[in-house]
Amino acid sequence: MRKFALIAAIALTATLALSACGKHGDDQQAGQQQAQQAPKPTDPNDSKGWNAYLGQIVQKNLQGMSANQPYAYMVTAGTTDDAKAQNDRQLQSVQDTVARGVLPGNLLAFGGPSSATTADLVVAAFKDAKPGSFKDVIILFIGDKADEQRVTDALKPTGATVRFVIM
């Protein structure tokens, strides 16, 4: 399951690197890119589809980030025991990151097929964060409008810049 998170991070990094290489202001190219955008998967267990879909959303929301690459966390829907175990490991990883702190200019992105599950992970991971410890860090939450307020409330004390994208 850790391989899944590593593969997701590598795929996201590769996508970002490739997109930075070919920046041309050509309208035709822009039209082709929009045509190639990944649709929102209907199967919550389609990890490849969710990685592609969420990766493009993260890529569109990198403004203000000065770090080399974002920290992207794809939270599974938790429909199987393996997926629940993966989410538990992901939560532990994020809690460790929160405890260590993140340098200003970084972006942490959270998304997954279940907005409520993703929101639960974010709220749990940041519950012990020190006030002001994430100043000038961007946290991107990709989810449903219904979860926006509780995620924002959980992150507010940290001083992070919170961005929300409806999926």
Side-chain angles (χ1 to χ4, degrees):
M1 291 301 154
R2 284 184 178 216
K3 290 179 186 178
F4 175 76
L6 179 61
I7 291 169
I10 291 170
L12 180 61
T13 303
T15 301
L16 294 173
L18 290 174
S19 69
C21 291
K23 295 271 180 181
H24 301 295
D26 189 24
D27 288 338
Q28 184 180 15
Q29 183 180 11
Q32 289 175 348
Q33 286 178 344
Q34 284 188 353
Q36 295 175 1
Q37 289 191 4
K40 180 179 176 182
T42 55
D43 179 4
N45 298 315
D46 179 9
S47 59
K48 184 178 178 183
W50 279 104
N51 281 329
Y53 175 72
L54 295 170
Q56 71 191 7
I57 293 173
V58 171
Q59 187 176 5
K60 291 178 184 176
N61 289 280
L62 296 177
Q63 60 275 12
M65 185 183 92
S66 58
N68 291 334
Q69 64 186 27
Y71 293 93
Y73 298 96
M74 209 289 276
V75 182
T76 70
T79 56
T80 65
D81 288 340
D82 285 343
K84 289 175 186 174
Q86 180 181 346
N87 286 351
D88 290 342
R89 288 189 300 273
Q90 184 98 290
L91 173 61
Q92 184 63 49
S93 174
V94 177
Q95 286 174 327
D96 292 346
T97 299
V98 169
R100 281 193 314 269
V102 176
L103 293 174
N106 277 292
L107 182 140
L108 282 72
F110 296 91
S114 169
S115 178
T117 303
T118 303
D120 291 344
L121 183 135
V122 172
V123 169
F126 284 87
K127 71 178 170 123
D128 295 327
K130 294 178 183 144
S133 60
F134 278 74
K135 186 176 185 314
D136 298 325
V137 174
I138 302 163
I139 299 181
L140 175 65
F141 177 75
I142 306 164
D144 296 334
K145 187 76 173 159
D147 297 310
E148 178 182 16
Q149 191 60 50
R150 71 183 177 118
V151 169
T152 301
D153 291 346
L155 295 173
K156 191 176 213 175
T158 68
T161 301
V162 180
R163 291 190 190 151
F164 174 74
V165 176
I166 295 175
M167 71 172 164

